[in-house]
Amino acid sequence: MMKKLMLKRMGTGLVLVIFLFTAVLSMAGTKLEAFAASPGDFILTHTNTDKLSPNETFTTTFKMTNLTDGDIIVSVLDFSLSGIVVPTGGESPVYTIDPDNETVPSTATNKDIGSFEFKYIGDGINSIFPVEVTYKVGAGGFETTVVNLYLNVEKPDDSGPSTPSDPSELKPNIIATVPENASLSAGKPGYINVTLKNISTASSARDILFKPVYSSESPFISVNPVTQMPIKHLGTNDSAELRLSIDTDKFSNEGLQPLNFELTYKNSRSYEITTKYTIYIKVVNFQTNCKLVLTPASSVAASAGGTFQLPLTVKNDGNLSAKDIKISLKGLSQNTFTLVSGTGRTDFERLYGNETRNLSYTLRASSSLKGGSHPITFSLTYTDEKGTVIEEEQEIWIPIAGGGGSILEVLEVKSSMTTVRPGDTFNVSVKVKNSGAYDSGQIKIMADG
């Protein structure tokens, strides 16, 4: 009996507390506290208290009070669940919080986590403003919760909500999003799923047609819908999936690339509307441009005043082909090397990616050359698949056996990377041999880039 009496008193007290709390909120009017909502770990509020009329633009700041013992990290605020507000300027309703300002300390009260501009598209009947928050507490994992905030909206009069006299004012509000992990490979066809969501509470959309918008800056050279066109109907707060087949330029830069398109559709009054969209898709590129490299095909034995064969290989170290290739001997003279036969020029129509060709030259070493390694310079001219003409020079070192003494030969120059980009770090190893009868003494090796 005593327990029942205590429970009854506690229940009466709880009802009294709820009544007092409700009375305080009623007296608070449009104060900030009236817009507070809590999922348990925090209280989320916003600062706008102005009475909103349909199609009115307003700015509000979101603030968070931490109710836990650990720091809260907020990663995403998602406003796409709301059917009464939309971001202005065509912005996405999903906002990623700046990592430098995303921590809400355990002692934080009303910490500013972002200000945003919205347009109120409601009719005054519904004032609930849901916000989906992705966050984590301390070292825990991220979780998502929906917080219902409230707006101070202008209620419709007793005659009921007015209907726009101009049919063009009754507009669906379709947003387009792609999955965060969506990606395409340069030079290969692929597919992307685009989610279309009508977040309007005022009008549905029907007979939705997709049209790609091409530009010289975009890497997407062919975009076609796989989904049957038109999409017949997209009701208020409904979603539909648009699947696209996309060909990506093989020369595309890596990273997020814009895809522009238009949607043409009719509102609930059959008024035709066209809206422009830009979504961003990650592009990865495994293609490397052509790069021709000359190397000796076998060891070369030459002596001062003698004739020798110089067998070479030319390899395309890139994935993309090279064409209109011209390889020429350069800088021949009576004091170094002379050509015994032929023109000293070799032409190839094309070298595909990673393809290798052989070529050979018959040369004579000058009798005045001293023992050691001496360079022969080759000029290479070729055109890549973009149409860019590449001109460069490469050297092949020839060991010459001269008079007595030490004879230094550069047997091999090898890089740790076959293809390098600006900013890359790599090693170059040089193999040197003394073929002479005497020690060489001190040797200094320098690289000329």
Side-chain angles (χ1 to χ4, degrees), residues 330-332 336-337 373-378 395-399:
K330 186 178 179 181
L332 299 179
T336 54
F337 299 97
S373 290
H374 298 269
I376 295 179
T377 302
F378 288 84
E395 290 182 336
I396 300 295
W397 290 79
I398 307 298

Side-chain angles (χ1 to χ4, degrees), residues 66 68-74 102-108 135-140:
N66 191 342
T68 71
D69 295 331
D71 293 344
I72 292 179
I73 296 178
V74 182
E102 66 181 358
T103 301
V104 182
S106 58
T107 58
Y135 72 102
K136 70 175 182 176
V137 179

Side-chain angles (χ1 to χ4, degrees), residues 5-24:
L5 181 60
M6 290 178 65
L7 289 172
K8 185 175 182 180
R9 288 177 178 174
M10 289 174 64
T12 303
L14 181 60
V15 171
L16 180 60
V17 169
I18 294 174
F19 173 78
L20 291 173
F21 180 74
T22 304
V24 169

Side-chain angles (χ1 to χ4, degrees), residues 64-255:
M64 180 175 286
T65 296
N66 191 342
L67 301 179
T68 71
D69 295 331
D71 293 344
I72 292 179
I73 296 178
V74 182
S75 64
V76 175
L77 293 179
D78 186 347
F79 309 119
S80 63
L81 298 179
S82 174
I84 61 174
V85 301
V86 292
T88 59
E91 295 290 338
S92 170
V94 182
Y95 290 91
T96 300
I97 305 299
D98 185 349
D100 296 333
N101 300 314
E102 66 181 358
T103 301
V104 182
S106 58
T107 58
T109 301
N110 287 336
K111 176 176 171 56
D112 184 350
I113 61 171
S115 295
F116 305 95
E117 186 178 70
F118 299 97
K119 182 179 181 180
Y120 173 61
I121 60 172
D123 54 11
I125 297 176
N126 185 11
S127 61
I128 299 176
F129 178 18
V131 179
E132 187 175 86
V133 183
T134 301
Y135 72 102
K136 70 175 182 176
V137 179
F142 280 98
E143 56 183 296
T144 299
T145 187
V146 176
V147 180
N148 285 327
L149 300 176
Y150 296 89
L151 296 175
N152 184 17
V153 300
E154 184 177 346
K155 303 296 183 182
D157 56 29
D158 295 337
S159 61
S162 60
T163 302
S165 58
D166 185 348
S168 66
E169 294 180 1
L170 199 62
K171 292 183 179 181
N173 190 357
I174 301 176
I175 60 173
T177 58
V178 293
E180 290 185 3
N181 60 349
S183 65
L184 294 170
S185 296
K188 297 181 179 180
Y191 296 91
I192 290 293
N193 293 331
V194 182
T195 300
L196 304 178
K197 183 173 183 180
N198 181 11
I199 61 175
S200 170
T201 60
S203 176
S204 60
R206 59 186 178 86
D207 297 335
I208 303 170
L209 289 171
F210 170 88
K211 177 185 176 183
V213 177
Y214 297 106
S215 66
S216 58
E217 296 81 13
S218 175
F220 306 117
I221 54 180
S222 176
V223 182
N224 295 290
V226 177
T227 304
Q228 184 176 357
M229 291 281 108
I231 298 174
K232 294 298 184 182
H233 185 265
L234 191 58
T236 58
N237 207 35
D238 279 350
S239 298
E241 187 175 89
L242 173 63
R243 186 166 175 83
L244 301 176
S245 172
I246 303 175
D247 288 337
T248 307
D249 190 340
K250 60 185 174 183
F251 301 115
S252 172
N253 293 325
E254 291 192 321

